[in-house]
Amino acid sequence: MKAPLVLLAAALTPPVIAEPGVTARGRAAVSAAAIVESTGGVTASRFDLDRAELGGDATAGAHGIGAITLEAIRSAGPDSAMGLDGNSLVLRLRHAALGGRWTAAPALTLTGRLGLVPDPWTAAVDDHPERALGRALTETAALVAPSDLGAEVTLAAGAWLRVRLVVGNGEGARDVERNRGKTTSVVARLAWRAPALGELALVAYGRDGSVGPGAVRSHRLGGALGWHHPRGAAGIELVRGWGVGAQPDARALAATAWLDAPVIADAGLTVRVDRLVVEGGGEDQAGWTLQAAAWWALASRARVELAFERQAADGAAAVIPGAPGAIDVTRALLRVHGSFEDSE
Amino acid sequence: MRSRHGLVLALALAGACSAPGADDRQAFVIDALTRDNQRWLDRDPAQVAAKYRIMAARTFDFFRGTAGLYWRDVTAAGAAASASPFAADDGAWLWIVGDPHLENLGTRRRADGSIYVDWNDYDAATRGPWWLDGRRLALGLMLGAEDAGLAAHGPRLVELAAHAYAAELVRLADGGPVALERGGAVIADLCARAATAGDAGARLADYTRLDAAGRRTMFYGDVEPPAEDGTWIDTTVPVAGRERADVEAAVGDWRRGALVPAGALLGISRRLGAGVASYPAPRYYALLGGASDRADDDLLVELKEATAPVGMPPVPAALALGLTEADRTVVAERTLAAAPDDDVLLGGATVAPRSFRVRSRSGYERGVDLADLADDAEGLDELAAAAGRALARAHGRAPTVAGGAAAAVIAPRLRGQADALATAWQRDAEVDAARVRGDAARFADALARDPLLGGAP
């Protein structure tokens, strides 16, 4: 029963907890930017904190495991100033789960957790340091919540195969269960490593789900291919969605391609292209986002970037039909981001 | 151990199916309405149940309670999203009324005592595409005609409103002066009744009483008794504890930004039974002393808790208003109203996390009631044209994000295009009205199964 306290301690104090039978590891991630953006004939500048996360994980005894992550979010809506204490940044739980791990064979591990568990797709595509240019498209487009109240079972065979099953409410962290159905997500990750070629990973994803009292369908099918090597990294991700937000008849396609390459020691380039299409009963909504950055490494997992970003809608397929330029945005960003873990 | 783990996994898989899908459109209606009313469902579900009963009893009230559905449907990839021939990038983020319909028209009083008609509800006002604001007006006219028993007359009302809108917009762009809506038999009658009620101190008489010493105090009770099913119509109740402290703090906050000083706070009540879309939103009446110690110059102000407009297209960060919800409605009213300084008591108040729009409450403010226009085609014609002009004034006079009046942006697309605008609005309104009728039936069906649509906290 010490595990929750240990987890909290892990979140707040990154150094390793030296308690018999317990090991804990802390981590933190921050992404902040100075932004100049132009949209609708207006140019404005602002500072932004895109990501601030603090958390940790722990093992206790032979089987006990747990993890907790806090994140900072704006407390008001996007067009409002009315949140907590004005529009303050507030902390909320992003993940909090507790469970156990069993080793069934030398390379076969079964893990089970209950709580606010990470979405397996987001976890699979969001856990590498090259995710420099923001969160996964499926998360920013609200096709997938970053976590859900539920149960998670993971079966891992060495480093080459991992299958994760999550059964949850489907409402994410914002709501309790609101219909009779449960949401089931499965992600399988198959990795192949060769010293000369690096690691090639294939991720497959499926979800059968429903959200809200109307039991709006929320089904997803996706895949990703990623390559990681000391000389660079690249990936493509594709998710098809049936049911978007409150619209059960809407379909979505989210696609991302990214490339990260060091050019000289401690400096390099990152490019990312996102494509989002939402098809409803009327006009489609479709748009592109292009991001490109030159980066300099402050440390092994910390960078400063000078980035350019362009968001544009397709013709009539805009958020406001017939006004594709209404949400076109061009941004220049000076951004710092990094993730830190203790050395355990 | 292994077999036990396997059993747990199998049970989880067996029970993990998503809920069976209902009618897709009904699921959308239920989910969107629940999201839009979540704040009130959490705080006062009985009020939401009453709102839903009102919406189920009359198609026009269903329309009034579902502006969020409309905005979802006509933007993004919604069921009715289609590119209007009048759509353009530079008209996408102008100030709009958000929910312009006939029952959101009402009387206002100028400082010289004259009465006119303009929009009286800016709860949904924000930045957005002007042509979709007009489409919402057209939809309301179609449904308003049905409500008045003149369904076949709907397209004619839309045509009148479109022509009036286009003519007024072009006139303003050409430097024409702002003209207030006073003419026509229906509007003149509405103004006359408002003047009579205001002069007689009608709202003070309704919601306050004079005690034996001649001091004015709040009245608690039925101004109009509740309906048989318990739905409030016009009742006031005392306010105590934390709720009272919030209202007192809000009055204090409002005073700091008020255009005119007001006297001591003499009493507070909560009004139950007002509006449709905002029926569950807390509304308070605050009685304030006037310039003298006499009771005849006391003031009554309404504090209404403000919430964000729902279903609207997301404004880019660089164009975001960055206001509290109450301040948004206040800025919107001062920006969109034909004579923005008429209500000197208008203001915002914040008692975090709540914010309140504060305004005058007197007999001079009287809303249009479609029940007064049953089978009155001429009266509807007059109001439809007035609504078109009022919307044009609101849109045209408001500044664009880049500065300058929006009339200069909209008018070039309307010159010589009044017929085309009428045709576009008629076509969209026919489709939208059919969808609203269908949604109302789906809503009533769902409500028969659960009075809160499954959204009970």
Side-chain angles (χ1 to χ4, degrees):
Chain A
M1 294 305 290
K2 289 179 181 174
L5 292 176
V6 172
L7 289 173
L8 184 60
L12 298 176
T13 58
V16 175
I17 303 295
E19 188 171 327
V22 175
T23 57
R25 186 175 56 179
R27 61 175 177 273
V30 172
S31 177
I35 302 170
V36 178
E37 61 187 345
S38 176
T39 184
V42 172
T43 299
S45 60
R46 61 190 164 94
F47 293 97
D48 191 38
L49 183 67
D50 179 56
R51 175 181 291 201
E53 294 177 8
L54 181 67
D57 52 66
T59 62
H63 302 296
I65 59 165
I68 190 167
T69 305
L70 302 172
E71 67 174 344
I73 58 162
R74 281 278 166 208
S75 60
D79 195 32
S80 171
M82 180 47 70
L84 297 177
D85 188 24
N87 183 12
S88 293
L89 284 161
V90 296
L91 282 176
R92 72 170 178 185
L93 274 177
R94 184 174 171 88
H95 313 128
L98 200 62
R101 178 185 295 136
W102 293 267
T103 301
L108 198 62
T109 305
L110 181 70
T111 306
R113 297 194 298 180
L114 272 173
L116 186 60
V117 297
D119 173 77
W121 169 257
T122 304
V125 299
D126 206 29
D127 64 350
H128 31 73
E130 292 81 9
R131 180 64 69 186
L133 297 174
R135 299 182 185 276
L137 176 60
T138 45
E139 183 179 342
T140 56
L143 295 176
V144 172
S147 56
D148 196 14
L149 290 167
E152 173 197 88
V153 177
T154 305
L155 183 67
W160 64 275
L161 176 66
R162 187 175 66 208
V163 179
R164 180 166 287 165
L165 170 77
V166 171
V167 179
N169 288 337
E171 311 286 352
R174 295 182 65 182
D175 273 314
V176 296
E177 177 65 302
R178 313 217 70 181
N179 61 53
R180 289 179 291 115
K182 291 290 170 288
T183 293
T184 306
S185 302
V186 180
V187 166
R189 183 179 189 273
L190 187 65
W192 178 70
R193 284 179 181 168
L197 299 174
E199 181 189 83
L200 196 62
L202 180 67
V203 177
Y205 166 52
R207 183 172 88 185
D208 173 89
S210 62
V211 296
V216 171
R217 76 171 61 88
S218 180
H219 306 326
R220 306 286 182 262
L221 195 63
L225 186 63
W227 169 69
H228 294 260
H229 187 273
R231 299 300 302 271
I236 55 172
E237 296 146 17
L238 195 66
V239 170
R240 181 73 165 157
W242 291 266
V244 180
Q247 291 179 276
D249 56 345
R251 297 174 303 281
L253 180 70
T256 294
W258 59 272
L259 171 70
D260 184 84
V263 176
I264 57 171
D266 296 333
L269 299 170
T270 296
V271 178
R272 172 175 160 180
V273 179
D274 290 328
R275 171 75 171 161
L276 178 67
V277 179
V278 180
E279 303 158 318
E283 298 281 349
D284 296 347
Q285 177 195 344
W288 294 92
T289 302
L290 168 68
Q291 302 174 81
W295 54 262
W296 174 58
L298 298 166
S300 66
R301 300 186 73 175
R303 291 174 171 181
V304 57
E305 295 171 350
L306 189 59
F308 167 84
E309 185 175 313
R310 171 77 180 156
Q311 281 179 293
D314 288 5
V319 169
I320 301 174
I327 59 158
D328 283 4
V329 182
T330 303
R331 294 189 182 95
L333 306 93
L334 178 65
R335 178 157 47 191
V336 290
H337 67 90
S339 58
F340 308 95
E341 292 184 0
D342 63 34
S343 57
E344 179 68 2
Chain B
M1 286 295 285
R2 271 187 207 167
S3 61
R4 201 176 301 164
H5 295 320
L7 179 63
V8 170
L9 191 60
L11 287 173
L13 283 168
C17 301
S18 58
D23 171 315
D24 275 357
R25 183 68 192 178
Q26 187 175 55
F28 168 73
V29 170
I30 292 170
D31 206 67
L33 275 171
T34 302
R35 289 171 191 238
D36 296 350
N37 288 282
Q38 192 63 60
R39 173 188 291 224
W40 316 126
L41 281 164
D42 290 343
R43 281 166 42 178
D44 198 348
Q47 292 284 331
V48 178
K51 169 181 173 173
Y52 286 169
R53 286 197 300 272
I54 292 169
M55 289 168 59
R58 179 190 178 212
T59 302
F60 196 81
D61 282 338
F62 177 81
F63 156 78
R64 289 184 60 176
T66 53
L69 287 187
Y70 168 81
W71 283 103
R72 286 181 180 88
D73 277 333
V74 299
T75 58
S82 59
S84 162
F86 296 92
D89 293 346
D90 60 359
W93 301 121
L94 305 180
W95 273 101
I96 58 172
V97 175
D99 193 16
H101 60 75
L102 291 182
E103 291 193 343
N104 273 347
L105 284 172
T107 56
R108 299 168 63 92
R109 182 175 184 257
R110 300 240 60 199
D112 64 8
S114 63
I115 309 284
Y116 66 98
V117 164
D118 197 6
W119 303 113
N120 65 2
D121 186 329
Y122 298 90
D123 288 353
T126 184
R127 286 196 181 123
W130 66 268
W131 60 91
L132 294 180
D133 216 22
R135 179 171 166 177
R136 173 95 180 145
L137 173 65
L139 168 59
L141 291 170
M142 291 289 288
L143 296 171
E146 287 179 23
D147 193 73
L150 296 164
H153 199 56
R156 171 66 179 153
L157 297 184
V158 175
E159 181 185 14
L160 286 169
H163 278 270
Y165 180 90
E168 184 70 2
L169 217 304
V170 169
R171 195 181 69 79
L172 288 171
D174 290 343
V178 174
L180 303 178
E181 295 296 333
R182 294 188 171 111
V186 171
I187 288 177
D189 177 61
L190 194 66
C191 293
R193 283 192 284 162
T196 302
D199 291 346
R203 296 292 88 81
L204 273 175
D206 289 340
Y207 301 113
T208 67
R209 297 289 185 269
L210 290 174
D211 65 14
R215 291 185 301 260
R216 195 174 294 278
T217 60
M218 298 307 293
F219 166 71
Y220 305 115
D222 295 336
V223 175
E224 194 172 335
E228 285 183 7
D229 63 3
T231 304
W232 303 109
I233 295 175
D234 193 349
T235 294
T236 56
V237 294
V239 180
R242 171 66 188 272
E243 188 179 22
R244 185 177 184 88
D246 275 1
V247 179
E248 289 174 349
V251 170
D253 193 49
W254 164 75
R255 283 182 195 278
R256 283 188 280 278
L259 297 176
V260 295
L265 178 60
L266 304 175
I268 298 169
S269 64
R270 178 174 175 183
R271 163 76 194 276
L272 300 171
V276 177
S278 60
Y279 183 93
R283 291 170 198 251
Y284 304 99
Y285 291 156
L287 178 63
L288 302 166
S292 74
D293 291 337
R294 301 191 317 273
D296 59 359
D297 64 355
D298 290 341
L299 300 168
L300 193 67
V301 295
E302 177 192 79
L303 296 91
K304 179 178 170 186
E305 188 168 340
T307 56
V310 288
M312 297 282 188
V315 179
L319 308 181
L321 295 169
L323 299 169
T324 68
E325 299 309 336
D327 285 347
R328 173 186 52 77
T329 66
V330 171
V331 170
E333 181 161 344
R334 290 183 177 147
T335 301
L336 293 164
D341 54 351
D342 283 349
D343 185 356
V344 293
L345 299 176
L346 178 69
T350 299
V351 182
R354 307 166 79 189
S355 73
F356 301 88
R357 193 259 356 253
V358 184
R359 69 175 178 181
S360 160
R361 191 75 181 101
S362 79
Y364 295 117
E365 295 99 35
R366 188 181 190 93
V368 168
D369 186 348
L370 282 173
D372 296 339
L373 292 155
D375 300 319
D376 182 357
E378 282 185 25
L380 285 169
D381 288 354
E382 179 192 329
L383 277 179
R389 285 190 296 271
L391 194 63
R393 274 192 293 276
H395 289 172
R397 293 179 59 253
T400 68
V401 290
V409 173
I410 305 172
R413 294 186 174 80
L414 295 178
R415 288 185 194 280
Q417 297 296 314
D419 287 339
L421 183 70
T423 302
W425 280 8
Q426 284 173 329
R427 181 199 63 208
D428 288 338
E430 297 268 12
V431 173
D432 292 346
R435 189 181 64 254
V436 170
R437 284 183 219 109
D439 286 351
R442 293 182 182 91
F443 171 75
D445 173 64
L447 206 62
R449 295 195 297 271
D450 187 321
L452 288 174
L453 304 177

